[in-house]
Amino acid sequence: MPSIALVTCEKFPSLYGGEQLLPPALQRAGIAAQIVAWTAADVDWSRFDAVVLRTTWDYFERYPEFCAWLDRLEAMGARVFNPLATVRANSDKVYLQTLERLGVATVPTCWVAPGTAPAEVQRQLADLIWPEVVIKPSVSGGAFRTERLSLADLRARCEPLAEILVDSHALVQPFLPEIASAGEWSFLYFGGTFSHSVLKQAKAGDYRVQMTHGGRHTLTTAPDELRAQADEVLRLCRGLPGGEQAWLYARVDGVSLAGRFVVVEVELIEPYLFLDEDPPAADRFAAALQRIL
Ligand SMILES: Nc1ncnc2c1ncn2[C@@H]1O[C@H](COP(=O)(O)OP(=O)(O)O)[C@@H](O)[C@H]1O
Ligand SMILES: [Mg+2]
């Protein structure tokens, strides 16, 4: 029986939410799963047939440590999903620049490099015309340090950007009201095959769709044209590092702007899979892993 590690963080010793459907689904597929925190001491990761990243949701708050852990996995010769090259590339939202070059429609972004001097930040902001913006760190998850404010406010107060620029790029984007009104889509793929889609909506008065910010999500079949665009995004993503290897899971997140699918992010490290919305999806995940192993 193949044996795999489902990797979590210390905060979620038994995974979280719908992810908890994975161990029994894997068991049904003849795969023994052990839940292990990425920070656990003295783990020989190479003894697993696969090391599957799941609820490692503190990685962006402990980023240097997490990168060192990825290096250790590589040195040990562990078989990691998604592949390490993909995980490394996906851990910093600068990969969105690569996606844009590959032909993916992404949210227009002003990129401010870490350590940029305040005067230069002001010069970059002077070029922008969006009345309302969202700022966020390039190494982030769960809307960590994400803020919505007017461009005038951002120009007047440097602190929110300065705080981000200490250790990552900052993304400055136009605020997309469609995210707050219609919601943000997540398209889930296992082993490259579409599994299900979810529409995530923010609570009234908010724009962040994450559950931790009071957002809710519903299993929703997207219009065919939107789904086709998400499929095409995943195909183009294969141009990212590690894209020539198998991806066990992928989540394409984006918003429909008058029928045009625009990518907010593609999650290839530890996306929440919304398995509780569609329990057979856990079996599809297990079957995808079985095929890859
Ligand atoms: N340009 C934007 N306009 C409106 N809302 C946004 C925008 N960018 C992000 N958001 C909101 O913030 C959330 C977090 O941003 P995201 O880029 O997905 O980063 P992460 O999920 O890694 O924290 C999104 O799910 C969405 O609710
Ligand atoms: Mg997101």
Side-chain angles (χ1 to χ4, degrees), residues 25-284:
L26 290 161
Q27 180 79 35
R28 287 193 289 278
I31 299 170
Q34 189 184 330
I35 302 167
V36 191
W38 67 274
T39 47
D42 305 323
V43 180
D44 175 7
W45 298 96
S46 67
R47 77 183 165 82
F48 296 105
D49 295 296
V51 173
V52 178
L53 273 63
R54 289 288 70 241
T55 44
T56 56
W57 292 342
D58 58 355
Y59 84 86
F60 50 87
E61 296 169 62
R62 308 171 68 164
Y63 191 52
E65 225 181 312
F66 184 74
C67 292
W69 176 66
L70 297 179
D71 292 346
R72 281 205 302 285
L73 289 178
E74 182 161 42
M76 284 181 184
R79 188 170 185 208
V80 184
F81 292 98
N82 282 330
L84 283 169
T86 303
V87 169
R88 288 191 179 108
N90 195 230
S91 69
D92 189 317
K93 287 189 167 64
V94 292
Y95 74 86
L96 287 165
Q97 299 180 2
T98 311
L99 286 192
E100 189 73 36
R101 280 195 296 275
L102 291 168
V104 174
T106 61
V107 181
T109 303
C110 163
W111 296 90
V112 187
T116 303
E120 177 53 28
V121 172
Q122 286 300 336
R123 255 193 303 277
Q124 282 192 255
L125 297 182
D127 290 338
L128 306 183
I129 50 161
W130 312 313
E132 219 182 340
V133 296
V134 167
I135 63 166
K136 52 193 166 184
S138 67
V139 177
S140 138
F144 177 62
R145 287 186 181 164
T146 299
E147 272 190 59
R148 165 190 178 178
L149 67 179
S150 74
L151 183 59
D153 257 10
L154 184 60
R155 284 176 179 153
R157 305 196 286 130
C158 297
E159 310 85 67
L161 274 187
E163 205 177 298
I164 293 175
L165 293 175
V166 172
D167 49 17
S168 74
H169 277 80
L171 289 74
V172 183
Q173 300 181 333
F175 171 73
L176 301 175
E178 291 84 351
I179 293 185
S181 54
E184 181 184 292
W185 289 93
S186 282
F187 293 90
L188 280 302
Y189 299 84
F190 300 148
T193 301
F194 175 76
S195 170
H196 57 295
S197 57
V198 165
L199 185 60
K200 304 175 292 185
Q201 280 161 312
K203 70 165 190 253
D206 207 314
Y207 65 100
R208 296 163 304 180
V209 300
Q210 285 70 22
M211 296 175 271
T212 41
H213 297 288
R216 58 201 159 78
H217 50 267
T218 326
L219 185 71
T220 309
T221 304
D224 288 345
E225 316 80 65
L226 206 62
R227 174 49 215 294
Q229 293 177 70
D231 290 358
E232 176 62 6
V233 167
L234 186 67
R235 196 185 69 76
L236 292 169
C237 281
R238 290 292 173 172
L240 289 173
E244 69 292 346
Q245 300 170 60
W247 286 350
L248 175 57
Y249 49 83
R251 199 181 89 195
V252 176
D253 284 359
V255 60
S256 169
L257 302 183
R260 178 167 178 264
F261 185 65
V262 173
V263 166
V264 173
E265 65 172 336
V266 177
E267 293 244 23
L268 298 166
I269 305 178
E270 33 60 282
Y272 186 62
L273 302 173
F274 302 104
L275 300 174
D276 44 345
E277 287 295 312
D278 187 14
D283 292 300
R284 294 196 287 274

